[in-house]
Amino acid sequence: MFSSKRAESTTRSFSKGHKVSKSSSSFRESSGVSKKRHESSSRHRRPATASTTGTEDTSMSNGMSSSVVTLVVGAEQRLFAAHEDVLRASPFFAQTLRNTYMDPAAKRIALPDEEPEIFSSVLEYLYKGDYFPRLTHNKRRNSWEIEPPTEEEQSRVESTVYHRSFDGDLLKDTVIYCAAERYGLSELKKIALRKQGLQSGIQCSTILTSARYAYANTPDTDSKLRAHYLALIIRSRNTFKRSGTMQLEMHNGGTPLFFDLFVALCNHVDDIASGQGTPKSNRFFY
């Protein structure tokens, strides 16, 4: 019987040592991540993007000659500006620039359901090929790493972001991955997934909430982000099976996550049993 109360273990960070290579993802033990709700309009402004509140519009200038498009983002109607040629690298924006979502006279695109902080990262990627903090490849170790921030950048490094639709913190790289899915940016999806695999010390509750968000914002055919969460929970099963949040999430249901997890666990048991040479007929009988 599942309990509907959240146990104290909700805040327990999971730990599992797992080396990260080009394609593997894991979270390593560290201090738990805690974060207050983001202030509505004044945090995390990157030099690569221009955003304001109200009606002020600031254009990004990097010598490009194409026309500038204003993007009105989120419930707060934060304003971003980007060159049309840059936006057209995204199939979503290429289509949007041709349809009724854009006001031809003002060259404005409304994105009311997007989070400004997430869109800032997407726009930074479109201009620079990455978003802060930057991803680097260590050739000597043949592994991916997050570039250490400078002292000035340190205050901007946060692994979670407050999301209105879930009224709580989600893993930022997961939200960016899902945004990249919507905008048709496959390379950004790869970058976000690799960065997420390098995060550490994330609370069980944040992982489960982020997993639900991932399932709600990716197609059933997604074989990367969903699989990442399934593998992550299985590797850290000793922590999750004691988690009050896990009990509550499974009790409430409402997502395909837990059936997929059940199938993945069955496959995991099958792999172990096959490796031990256990006959199939006796596999689950001891």
Side-chain angles (χ1 to χ4, degrees), residues 258-278:
F258 296 108
F259 178 75
D260 286 355
L261 181 59
F262 168 74
V263 172
L265 282 168
C266 289
N267 292 337
H268 180 66
V269 172
D270 287 347
D271 290 341
I272 294 175
S274 297
Q276 294 175 345
T278 305

Side-chain angles (χ1 to χ4, degrees), residues 187-261:
E187 287 301 314
L188 178 56
K189 288 169 60 178
K190 293 178 183 178
I191 291 172
L193 190 63
R194 282 177 176 146
K195 287 186 178 182
Q196 179 157 306
L198 297 171
Q199 298 295 341
S200 61
I202 310 300
Q203 296 177 354
C204 291
S205 57
T206 302
I207 295 167
L208 292 172
T209 303
S210 299
R212 283 197 293 111
Y213 180 87
Y215 266 77
N217 291 275
T218 55
D220 292 339
T221 54
D222 179 80
S223 61
K224 300 297 183 182
L225 186 60
R226 293 187 177 194
H228 165 81
Y229 276 109
L230 297 177
L232 172 62
I233 294 172
I234 290 173
R235 286 198 302 269
S236 305
R237 57 191 176 277
N238 288 334
T239 298
F240 277 96
K241 70 182 181 182
R242 297 191 299 270
S243 168
T245 301
M246 186 69 161
Q247 292 182 21
L248 184 60
E249 290 280 352
M250 294 187 74
H251 177 75
N252 292 335
T255 172
L257 166 64
F258 296 108
F259 178 75
D260 286 355
L261 181 59

Side-chain angles (χ1 to χ4, degrees), residues 32 41-43 59 91 99 105 108 122 133 136 139 143 154 163 177 179 182 193 195 202-203 238 260 274-275 281 284:
S41 63
S42 61
R43 299 177 61 184
S59 172
N99 65 25
R108 285 181 170 236
V122 172
T136 61
K139 293 183 179 179
S143 63
Q154 189 65 46
H163 203 285
Y177 181 102
R182 289 194 298 277
L193 190 63
K195 287 186 178 182
I202 310 300
Q203 296 177 354
N238 288 334
D260 286 355
S274 297
S281 58
F284 301 109

Side-chain angles (χ1 to χ4, degrees), residues 45-159:
R45 298 185 182 180
R46 296 178 174 79
T49 62
S51 65
T52 62
T53 55
T55 59
E56 182 183 356
D57 187 8
T58 305
S59 172
M60 304 174 76
S61 66
N62 65 349
M64 300 189 69
S65 58
S66 66
S67 59
V68 174
V69 178
T70 300
L71 302 108
V72 186
V73 181
E76 303 156 7
Q77 297 191 327
R78 286 265 300 276
L79 302 184
F80 291 79
H83 293 90
E84 186 173 334
D85 287 350
V86 173
L87 291 176
R88 287 187 182 278
S90 158
F92 173 88
F93 287 114
Q95 176 66 26
T96 301
L97 288 165
R98 294 191 296 266
N99 65 25
T100 56
Y101 286 103
M102 187 182 75
D103 179 354
K107 281 193 175 293
R108 285 181 170 236
I109 298 176
L111 301 171
D113 298 324
E114 188 62 272
E115 292 293 330
E117 183 175 351
I118 298 304
F119 186 72
S120 177
S121 294
V122 172
L123 204 53
E124 184 176 2
Y125 163 79
L126 287 173
Y127 273 89
K128 295 184 174 182
D130 200 351
Y131 62 92
F132 181 83
R134 291 162 291 278
L135 187 68
T136 61
H137 184 248
N138 187 319
K139 293 183 179 179
R140 185 172 62 84
R141 296 182 178 180
N142 193 29
S143 63
W144 293 98
E145 300 174 351
I146 297 295
E147 184 177 272
T150 64
E151 185 175 344
E152 182 178 312
E153 295 172 330
Q154 189 65 46
S155 62
R156 294 166 51 202
V157 179
E158 294 189 24
S159 59

